[in-house]
Amino acid sequence: MPQDDQRQTTVEAGAGAAQDSAPAGQGGESASVDPVAEALALLTAERDELKDRTLRTLAEMENLRRRTEREVADARAYAVTNFARDVLNVADNIRRALDSVPDDAKSTADGALKGLIDGIELTERDLAKTLERHGVKIVEPQGQKFDPNRHQAMFEVPNAEVPAGTVVQVVQAGYVIGDRVLRPALVGVAKGGPKAAASPADAA
């Protein structure tokens, strides 16, 4: 009998140990995660984030480069805007000086007077060439359709021989620098004539 009791105790102890170890083994097996797969997923996510940041940075740098190129081009083209606008007063005064001389006096002038008139005309031509080298050009709207972006209407002239809205008189010349208006031309515009034909640009 004592031997049977000892054998029974040993069997029960072994069964209890087996029960204690079985759940631990099952729990470890269900909770296990492949460390290689987990590291790969983290690296892939980090790679995608860095790629996105790189593409965004490249796009921003390209936009900055284009904007800088535009600003540099504008600075080159329009750096002399204020100076050119002041020089226009000189051009106006030279033109007034020439216009103050009657046509018959110009045709019959000789000696010192002729030299003075020729010198003023030469100065006007040289000034116009200098301005043009820096992108400043004169606007000659005579006979053109009135453009509020480039012309400033001072008065209307009844004239049925030309379409309404046609520039028939230029009071003061206008100038542009590049594709910008430096000074609008002061003009007189016809009224009362036939309507001006719509240009293809207006129709579009």
Side-chain angles (χ1 to χ4, degrees), residues 7 20 51 67 92 98-100 115 117-118 121 203:
R7 190 178 299 131
D20 292 340
K51 181 179 179 180
R67 185 167 61 249
D92 291 339
L98 291 172
D99 290 343
S100 66
I117 295 174
D118 291 343
E121 291 177 342

Side-chain angles (χ1 to χ4, degrees), residues 62-80:
E62 180 64 16
N63 292 335
L64 177 61
R65 183 186 66 80
R66 292 177 180 176
R67 185 167 61 249
T68 302
E69 287 180 352
R70 287 196 301 268
E71 291 176 352
V72 170
D74 287 347
R76 289 175 179 171
Y78 305 113
V80 297

Side-chain angles (χ1 to χ4, degrees), residues 125-204:
R125 288 195 297 270
D126 286 345
L127 179 58
K129 291 178 180 178
T130 301
L131 289 172
E132 191 168 348
R133 279 199 303 271
H134 293 278
V136 180
K137 297 180 180 180
I138 192 169
V139 175
E140 299 178 351
Q142 183 72 31
Q144 297 179 0
K145 182 180 178 181
F146 176 75
D147 182 358
N149 296 317
R150 292 188 168 217
H151 313 147
Q152 182 176 342
M154 303 300 294
F155 50 84
E156 291 184 317
V157 179
N159 189 338
E161 297 180 358
V162 297
T166 301
V167 175
V168 293
Q169 185 176 347
V170 179
V171 178
Q172 185 181 68
Y175 288 84
V176 295
I177 178 169
D179 57 356
R180 300 180 185 177
V181 175
L182 184 62
R183 185 182 74 183
L186 305 182
V187 300
V189 183
K191 73 170 184 175
K195 291 184 178 180
S199 63
D202 295 338

Side-chain angles (χ1 to χ4, degrees), residues 105-127:
K106 289 181 182 178
S107 60
T108 60
D110 58 359
L113 179 58
K114 179 174 175 53
L116 177 61
I117 295 174
D118 291 343
I120 295 176
E121 291 177 342
L122 179 61
T123 301
E124 184 182 42
R125 288 195 297 270
D126 286 345
L127 179 58

